[in-house]
Amino acid sequence: MITEPRATLNSDSEPVAFESDDAIITRVLGGETECYALILRRYNQRLFRIARSILQDDALAEDALQEAYVAAYKKLPQYQARGAFSSWLTRITINEARMSRRKQSRYRETNIVEDQATSLIDQQATSNPAQRTANGELATLIESAMSRLPESFRLVFMLRGVQQLSIDETAFCLGIPPATVKTRYHRARILMQQSLTPHIVGAGLQLYEFAGKRCDNLVSAVMRRLEIPYAADSSTAALSGSG
């Protein structure tokens, strides 16, 4: 799978080219460690959704995502570009989220819908009013329905239905056969109710929104933990095409 090229920065924080993930990773390993922030911004939204679908708690998901980025950075010398870097990063995030869940002495099964509704209100407070009106109620219904899915179905649905990953990439991320992805996705769609499925693609971009200041804060936190000099600014966010 070819990774879509994105803009990156040189050492003077000026746009120099549109580079793939692998090209940016090569530069990071070559000493331009500040470029790792571009990877974080590029995948914050996608990976937060995945961690959130496992942990069903915003704060725990952010913590797991931060741990995943730190772990991935330390493992970069071991990364081999035989597949998509995004898939490799996704597997690390899934593992970190599952480890985080295992560390919790008590996992909250109740109040899931209430927590998600509160989170959605907070997230949409700074969004466009028209988007809030159009997508707010639908997103709440979808998130509530997803929270009731078994984890094995919920993860497949998040990757295939919301993030629109291919069957093969979903299988790689979860470490299961492609045939199992097809079966679980089919069953998840049924459980999510036929009335909701036509709207999933359109509403998916509003689910578990992770952008703006939340994105900036996580990038800064990870870079501090890695002891990489980093000055956050809007140009970095714009060039990354994400948070």
Side-chain angles (χ1 to χ4, degrees), residues 21-239:
D21 289 346
D22 292 339
I24 293 175
I25 294 307
T26 297
R27 295 178 62 189
V28 171
L29 293 174
E32 296 181 69
T33 54
E34 69 278 3
C35 290
Y36 193 59
L38 293 171
I39 292 295
L40 272 61
R41 289 188 177 279
R42 185 171 297 180
Y43 291 110
N44 268 347
Q45 178 68 88
R46 166 174 164 171
L47 298 180
F48 175 78
R49 285 173 175 164
I50 293 169
R52 179 64 169 74
S53 69
I54 295 172
L55 294 166
Q56 304 203 58
D57 180 276
D58 280 10
L60 292 177
E62 287 192 39
D63 289 344
L65 182 54
Q66 189 176 140
E67 294 299 326
Y69 281 133
V70 172
Y73 182 83
K74 294 178 179 178
K75 294 178 181 178
L76 280 182
Q78 305 169 27
Y79 169 67
Q80 297 181 357
R82 295 176 180 173
F85 175 78
S86 58
S87 298
W88 181 77
L89 195 55
T90 297
R91 293 190 71 164
I92 292 176
T93 302
I94 290 172
N95 289 337
E96 290 292 340
R98 285 174 170 168
M99 284 193 291
S100 173
R101 187 181 58 188
R102 287 195 292 268
K103 292 177 182 177
Q104 305 306 311
S105 58
R106 289 177 296 178
Y107 181 72
R108 294 180 301 166
E109 290 287 348
T110 58
N111 297 325
I112 289 176
V113 174
E114 180 181 351
D115 290 345
Q116 290 179 340
T118 301
S119 173
L120 187 65
I121 292 172
D122 292 341
Q123 293 163 19
Q124 292 184 335
T126 57
S127 64
N128 185 283
Q131 287 184 331
R132 290 202 305 271
T133 301
N135 297 326
E137 183 178 354
L138 179 59
T140 300
L141 290 173
I142 293 173
E143 289 183 8
S144 297
M146 284 180 63
S147 73
R148 294 190 291 271
L149 291 175
E151 182 186 307
S152 59
F153 292 172
R154 190 166 63 243
L155 271 173
V156 168
F157 189 84
M158 175 60 72
L159 293 171
R160 287 284 293 127
V162 178
Q163 292 299 140
Q164 300 183 55
L165 271 62
S166 69
I167 291 174
D168 288 341
E169 189 172 4
T170 300
F172 176 83
C173 290
L174 298 178
I176 59 177
T180 303
V181 171
K182 294 179 182 179
T183 299
R184 291 181 183 178
Y185 184 52
H186 174 70
R187 292 177 180 174
R189 284 170 60 93
I190 294 175
L191 293 174
M192 286 289 289
Q193 302 179 359
Q194 291 298 322
S195 61
L196 289 178
T197 53
H199 306 285
I200 294 301
V201 174
L205 294 177
Q206 301 304 317
L207 294 180
Y208 305 149
E209 194 67 22
F210 192 78
K213 187 173 182 179
R214 298 177 74 196
C215 177
D216 292 338
N217 289 343
L218 188 137
V219 172
S220 296
V222 171
M223 299 299 276
R224 282 197 304 271
R225 288 186 58 182
L226 294 173
E227 298 182 351
I228 297 175
Y230 172 70
D233 57 40
S234 59
S235 63
T236 305
L239 288 168

